[in-house]
Amino acid sequence: MTGEEKQTFTHGTVQNDDMIDPKLRVLQMVAHHGTVTAAAAALHYTPSAVSHQLRQLAAELGVELLTQSGRGIRLTAAAATVLRHADVLYAQAERAQAELAATADETGGSITLCGFSTAATHLLPPAAATLRDRYRQLTVRVIEAEPARCFDLLLAGDADLALLIATADTPPASDTRFDQQPLLDDPLDLVVPSEHRLTTRPTVTLADAADEPWILGRPGSTYHHLVLTACTAAGFTPNIAHYADEWDTGTALVAHHFGIILVPRLARLHDDWPVARIPLHGEPAPARRILAATRLGSREHPVIATALTSITTTATALLPPPRRPGERAE
């Protein structure tokens, strides 16, 4: 393409609702959240505005999209058909945006990165800084959010790239609204008091800590589910003594001999606590799988590709194995 044929890309980096009837996005969000009220909140609309747009869409298509089901609503078979085709349309629009951006002399607009707490602390800021420095006309925003919320943000168009932990609640890989790719496996380390019996062993498995008092995140949290799943895979149910959602809180409890915790390798702990961080062995060695998710079709967008490259580079540098107690750094 010649210089005269190139353009300056100044639209939102991966926003595509201008290409497609926005009422389809409203129907998508109602299907995703299950209620008009929740969909309205996610879209920053009023419930009456959502209902009005759904009635308009139904009239334009000549079909019923919603029916009453007790006190709630249910999507009709016609709505399911519309949604299936809407997913294809949105994915194609994302691909078009990516191709347009690849031909631009200059990229403007905005991009939003979101992720769970550790990602928002260690992975997203360097990626955001890379984007800021490379694309001077681009506005970059970071949002810390739980994994389930990340999918809501992606679908609503409030985020463009999400880092999240794979759980049982994660949409399946076959979900046609999203592109989910494994980014890295973040090993889980055992954190125990510095004089704990396990610090003298050459290798430690998770099952070796089965009889210990455990410190977990609150029930319903991703961390709680992560530890329970790891312990179950190791053949035991942990004896939960305390709940702590922050790594610093959990580490302080360990330092005072109230129990032990599992901490992801990416999580950084204060050096002044008298605790030992032990890498675990065995099959399967516990780890959390971190996914990079985008709306389907947008992964090849040059801005998103740049962010993913930065995130991967940072993650690789942050994941050396922890030193055992008394081991010197080389």
Side-chain angles (χ1 to χ4, degrees), residues 1-7 103 105:
M1 177 172 286
T2 66
E4 290 77 12
E5 292 173 316
K6 289 186 178 182
Q7 61 177 316
T103 66
D105 289 325

Side-chain angles (χ1 to χ4, degrees), residues 185-328:
D185 286 336
D186 187 10
L188 300 179
D189 300 325
L190 192 67
V191 179
V192 301
S194 56
E195 303 301 323
H196 195 276
R197 60 182 177 84
L198 293 177
T199 61
T200 62
R201 296 192 181 187
T203 62
V204 176
T205 68
L206 186 56
D208 292 331
D211 295 332
E212 299 289 332
W214 281 82
I215 302 162
L216 271 68
R218 288 174 296 177
S221 67
T222 301
Y223 176 56
H224 183 94
H225 173 80
L226 184 71
V227 176
L228 282 183
T229 300
C231 292
T232 299
F236 70 95
T237 299
N239 171 28
I240 303 174
H242 304 278
Y243 293 105
D245 289 332
E246 300 294 332
W247 307 130
D248 286 350
T249 305
T251 305
L253 289 170
V254 173
H256 288 84
H257 298 267
F258 282 106
I260 63 174
I261 58 174
L262 281 180
V263 172
R265 187 75 49 84
L266 282 175
R268 294 295 177 258
L269 306 179
H270 288 300
D271 294 333
D272 53 351
W273 291 112
V275 300
R277 188 168 185 161
I278 303 174
L280 293 170
H281 297 79
E283 292 294 338
R288 62 178 182 179
R289 172 150 290 189
I290 299 177
L291 305 175
T294 61
R295 288 183 295 278
L296 188 64
S298 68
R299 177 171 285 266
E300 298 307 314
H301 192 289
V303 174
I304 290 179
T306 299
L308 285 171
T309 298
S310 172
I311 289 166
T312 302
T313 301
T314 301
T316 301
L318 286 174
L319 281 177
R323 296 194 300 274
R324 293 300 304 264
E327 183 180 0
R328 292 185 178 181

Side-chain angles (χ1 to χ4, degrees), residues 105-108 126-138 140 302-310:
D105 289 325
E106 188 175 322
T107 295
T130 296
L131 295 177
R132 177 197 61 201
D133 296 341
R134 181 169 301 185
Y135 304 103
R136 295 292 184 175
Q137 303 302 314
L138 182 70
V140 185
V303 174
I304 290 179
T306 299
L308 285 171
T309 298
S310 172

Side-chain angles (χ1 to χ4, degrees), residues 43-213:
L43 289 166
H44 315 293
Y45 293 168
T46 64
S48 60
V50 167
S51 297
H52 177 69
Q53 292 201 41
L54 291 176
R55 288 194 298 270
Q56 277 192 322
L57 181 61
E60 291 168 6
L61 296 175
V63 296
E64 291 294 328
L65 297 175
L66 302 176
T67 61
Q68 288 297 128
S69 178
R71 295 184 178 181
I73 58 172
R74 178 173 58 84
L75 273 68
T76 65
T81 298
V82 173
L83 286 168
R84 178 163 49 84
H85 287 282
D87 290 346
V88 175
L89 288 172
Y90 277 113
Q92 194 59 40
E94 297 285 0
R95 294 185 184 98
Q97 291 276 29
E99 288 188 30
L100 288 171
T103 66
D105 289 325
E106 188 175 322
T107 295
S110 64
I111 186 171
T112 298
L113 314 176
C114 68
F116 61 98
S117 58
T118 307
T121 300
H122 298 293
L123 299 177
L124 294 184
T130 296
L131 295 177
R132 177 197 61 201
D133 296 341
R134 181 169 301 185
Y135 304 103
R136 295 292 184 175
Q137 303 302 314
L138 182 70
T139 299
V140 185
R141 184 172 67 152
V142 174
I143 300 175
E144 180 180 345
E146 282 291 306
R149 177 62 176 153
C150 286
F151 283 107
D152 294 345
L153 293 170
L154 285 175
L155 194 59
D158 289 334
D160 304 304
L161 169 64
L163 299 186
L164 48 99
I165 302 166
T167 70
D169 296 327
T170 302
S174 59
D175 192 313
T176 56
R177 300 169 299 173
F178 305 109
D179 184 332
Q180 303 178 63
Q181 297 294 329
L183 180 65
L184 61 103
D185 286 336
D186 187 10
L188 300 179
D189 300 325
L190 192 67
V191 179
V192 301
S194 56
E195 303 301 323
H196 195 276
R197 60 182 177 84
L198 293 177
T199 61
T200 62
R201 296 192 181 187
T203 62
V204 176
T205 68
L206 186 56
D208 292 331
D211 295 332
E212 299 289 332

